[in-house]
């Protein structure tokens, strides 16, 4: 939902959108499904999707805030329900025209087959650039796309057969999840659907978020993402210990952007629109620390942070091989249990600076959008956690959304996990605020062959001499 400057004319907006549709292949994609489980995607020629058929105009002149929000709710529900991938309808838009002297609104809706989180960061600036060109009588000249969606996808199909990928097979098979830890039963695709999903959101104040952005990463030479995943490892590991499974570890699925362009010589995915997301499993072992002791402040948190950091650094190429072997390599695919999936899907989106306020920025009425997933869509995980750093009134704040399978996982269990995760985050922040035993890990010192114990010994010797 975008705020348009006053004076935006609908015909010019149509021309600008046409330029974007013609420029980005994924927006012209259609899906062919001759029978369930057998599908292919086709990129249609430039001009195949007409912007005047995609972009509707809604009369919004003179509407007060409540009426505008109500109209946005109705229209967003209508256009999202109109998606038809097999007919090539992956993009819809509505121009809420408030008259020539008022700032308008623009809703852009795209099917997930065509876009991911990164894609929006490409499309919205392009739309603005195209409109400004049209408004001044110029033909839009958008920055080129380095690597096409088709080119990247074709390369991935070949990559799935490469020896460096097949060499990872034992790693990914070993990371398959064991017995359930959170739910009493596995997911049922007929019962556990989007209609049963329930959501819980939590937030950490700007004051407590600040150490996560600076002090904690600096102490162990890691990242915010390392820290937040460590907090999850602590709270779930503590739960496992209390259920009699101490030290058993657990598997979490990690979602990533999938733009590992170094796999393809000369590739440039910085302006490639499409759904490039990857998911790979990670086994969190908890072998070097006691989660309960860390959470209680009786044990140094540095060991936990370093272990999780090193597990993440050891994942080859962002984990892209897990999906390639499981879905795009027929020989390897037979070795995976199709029903085996981690209970938790973890996705850290990073720091969301948001679009700048004002023209062509995010509209305040975005909270009125009513688009919802297909209620019959099976849930992929018992619990899906999405965390990000957002801009609050007092500064950056950590926020997270916990989406549970409502028929498989109780609200109380998720509330305990969410509360425990925030407590773990606070424990890590307090560790960094005090006297820490942070330091380096093997992945930081790639010019020498030292394990963690050797690095720790050298650091202690150095401190003793100060």
């Amino acid at each position: 939902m975008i705020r348009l400057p006053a004076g935006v004319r609908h015909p010019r907006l149509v021309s600008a959108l046409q330029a974007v549709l013609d420029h980005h292949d994924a927006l012209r994609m259609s899906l062919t499904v001759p029978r369930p489980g057998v599908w292919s995607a086709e990129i249609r020629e430039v001009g195949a999707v007409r912007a005047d058929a995609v972009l509707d105009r809604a009369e919004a002149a003179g509407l007060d805030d409540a009426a505008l929000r109500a109209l946005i709710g109705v229209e967003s529900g209508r256009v999202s329900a109109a998606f038809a991938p097999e007919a090539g309808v992956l993009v819809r838009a509505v121009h809420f025209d408030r008259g020539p002297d008022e700032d308008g609104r623009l809703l852009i809706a795209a099917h997930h087959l065509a876009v991911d989180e990164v894609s929006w960061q490409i499309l919205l600036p392009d739309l603005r650039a195209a409109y400004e060109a049209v408004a001044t009588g110029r033909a839009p000249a958008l920055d080129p796309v380095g690597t096409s969606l088709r080119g990247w996808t074709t390369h991935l199909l070949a990559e799935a057969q490469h020896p460096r990928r097949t060499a990872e097979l034992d790693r990914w098979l070993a990371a398959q999840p064991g017995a359930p830890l959170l739910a009493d039963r596995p997911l049922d695709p007929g019962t556990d659907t989007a209609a049963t999903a329930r959501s819980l959101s939590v937030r950490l104040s700007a004051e407590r978020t600040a150490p996560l952005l600076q002090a904690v990463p600096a102490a162990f030479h890691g990242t915010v993402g390392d820290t937040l995943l460590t907090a999850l490892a602590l709270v779930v590991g503590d739960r496992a210990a209390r259920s009699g499974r101490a030290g058993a570890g657990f598997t979490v699925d990690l979602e990533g952007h999938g733009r590992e362009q170094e796999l393809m010589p000369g590739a440039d995915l910085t302006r490639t629109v499409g759904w490039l997301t990857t998911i790979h499993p990670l086994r969190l072992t908890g072998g070097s620390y006691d989660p309960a002791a860390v959470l209680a402040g009786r044990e140094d948190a540095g060991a936990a942070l370093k272990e999780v950091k090193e597990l993440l650094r050891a994942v080859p190429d962002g984990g892209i091989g897990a999906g390639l072997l499981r879905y795009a390599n027929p020989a390897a695919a037979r070795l995976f249990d199709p029903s085996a999936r981690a209970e938790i899907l973890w996705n850290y989106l990073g720091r969301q600076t948001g679009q700048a306020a004002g023209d062509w920025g995010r509209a305040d009425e975005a909270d009125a959008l009513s688009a919802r997933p297909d209620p019959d869509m099976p849930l992929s995980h018992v619990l899906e956690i999405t965390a990000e750093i957002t801009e609050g009134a007092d500064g950056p704040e950590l926020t997270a959304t916990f989406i549970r399978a409502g028929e498989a996982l109780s609200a109380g269990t998720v509330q305990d996990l969410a509360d425990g995760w925030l407590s773990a985050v606070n424990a890590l922040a307090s560790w960094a605020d005090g006297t820490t035993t942070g330091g380096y890990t093997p992945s930081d010192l790639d010019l020498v062959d030292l394990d963690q114990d050797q690095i720790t010994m050298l650091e202690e010797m150095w401190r003793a001499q100060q």
Side-chain angles (χ1 to χ4, degrees), residues 356-367:
D359 296 341
W360 299 100
R362 181 181 183 274
D364 293 337
E365 297 83 4
D367 57 5

Side-chain angles (χ1 to χ4, degrees), residues 147 152 155 159 164 260-268:
T147 299
W152 176 244
H155 179 78
E159 181 71 22
R164 64 170 163 256
E260 316 299 335
Q261 59 188 29
E262 63 276 4
L263 297 181
M264 179 179 175
D268 178 5

Side-chain angles (χ1 to χ4, degrees), residues 33-102:
V33 187
R35 60 179 58 217
V38 180
W39 59 273
S40 62
E42 177 187 357
I43 304 296
R44 291 174 293 167
E45 67 277 7
V46 171
V49 180
R50 293 179 52 83
D52 56 5
V54 166
L55 178 60
D56 298 328
R57 177 183 173 277
E59 180 60 57
L63 297 183
D64 60 18
D65 183 68
L68 178 60
R69 288 175 183 274
L71 180 61
I72 288 170
V74 170
E75 289 294 304
S76 58
R78 178 183 65 82
V79 298
S80 63
F83 288 139
E86 292 178 60
V89 182
L90 296 179
V91 182
R92 296 298 302 270
V94 181
H95 173 206
F96 297 91
D97 193 343
R98 304 177 70 199
D101 300 323
E102 297 290 337

Side-chain angles (χ1 to χ4, degrees), residues 10-24 27 49-56 91-95 106-109 123 126-128 130-131 134 140 142 360:
H10 188 78
R12 292 175 176 174
L13 201 55
V14 171
S15 297
L17 181 58
Q18 187 68 63
V20 174
L21 293 170
D22 290 345
H23 196 67
H24 294 290
L27 305 183
V49 180
R50 293 179 52 83
D52 56 5
V54 166
L55 178 60
D56 298 328
V91 182
R92 296 298 302 270
V94 181
H95 173 206
L106 176 65
L107 166 65
I108 308 176
L123 292 173
D126 275 7
L127 182 64
R128 176 177 185 171
Y131 184 87
V134 171
L142 302 178
W360 299 100

Side-chain angles (χ1 to χ4, degrees), residues 198-206 209 212 228 231-232 235 346 383-390 396-403 411 413-426:
R198 299 294 181 266
S199 177
L200 169 68
S201 295
V202 296
R203 181 180 298 270
L204 196 65
S205 70
T209 299
L212 300 176
L228 299 182
L232 181 67
V235 67
W346 169 261
L383 181 63
E384 181 176 335
I385 307 173
T386 301
E388 59 185 336
I389 306 295
T390 60
E397 297 177 340
L398 170 65
T399 63
T401 302
F402 291 69
I403 301 176
T413 297
V414 175
Q415 185 69 63
D416 289 345
L417 285 172
D419 292 343
W421 180 70
L422 285 181
S423 295
V425 169
N426 272 314

Side-chain angles (χ1 to χ4, degrees), residues 149-166:
L149 180 61
R150 179 185 176 89
W152 176 244
T153 304
T154 301
H155 179 78
L156 288 183
L157 292 175
E159 181 71 22
Q161 317 300 322
H162 197 285
R164 64 170 163 256
R165 296 283 81 93
T166 54

Side-chain angles (χ1 to χ4, degrees), residues 183-200:
D184 295 330
R185 62 169 178 81
L187 287 178
D188 181 340
T191 302
D192 300 309
T193 63
T196 72
R198 299 294 181 266
S199 177
L200 169 68

